[in-house]
Amino acid sequence: MCHFYILYSQLLDRYYIGYTCDSVDGRLHQHLLEHAGFTGKAKDWKLVYSEAYATKAEAHARERQVKKWKSRRLIEKLIGV
């Protein structure tokens, strides 16, 4: 099982969109402790949304779809903010 997920950092007031075929909690842990990319800028990331998919291709397609929105308003509508 793979997941599409959205993280939120209050410190940066930004969302991060990703996907994983590992556990979402494990991936969040990686973002908090080991990540040198964008999520390495803050250590207060919280999981605010996730969707489960049967395949990696489906989860990755959903990630690309939401990233193409480039709209905080649409992301917040999706997660119910």
Side-chain angles (χ1 to χ4, degrees), residues 10-64:
Q10 187 173 4
L11 178 69
L12 300 175
D13 192 27
R14 299 283 303 266
Y15 292 98
Y16 176 83
I17 298 164
Y19 79 98
T20 185
C21 289
D22 297 324
S23 85
V24 177
D25 290 335
R27 186 66 180 120
L28 175 59
H29 183 74
Q30 288 176 336
H31 282 296
L32 291 172
L33 297 180
E34 304 169 8
H35 210 60
F38 174 75
T39 58
K41 295 178 182 179
K43 298 296 180 199
D44 70 333
W45 294 100
K46 301 239 184 295
L47 179 68
V48 294
Y49 186 81
S50 71
E51 296 173 357
Y53 290 92
T55 68
K56 178 180 178 178
E58 291 172 316
H60 189 211
R62 180 62 164 154
E63 177 201 32
R64 288 190 320 267

Side-chain angles (χ1 to χ4, degrees), residues 47-78:
L47 179 68
V48 294
Y49 186 81
S50 71
E51 296 173 357
Y53 290 92
T55 68
K56 178 180 178 178
E58 291 172 316
H60 189 211
R62 180 62 164 154
E63 177 201 32
R64 288 190 320 267
Q65 177 189 39
V66 174
K67 282 184 173 181
K68 284 181 184 178
W69 292 350
K70 298 184 187 252
S71 169
R72 182 182 182 112
R73 183 182 56 81
L74 290 176
I75 291 168
E76 289 180 343
K77 183 177 178 182
L78 174 66

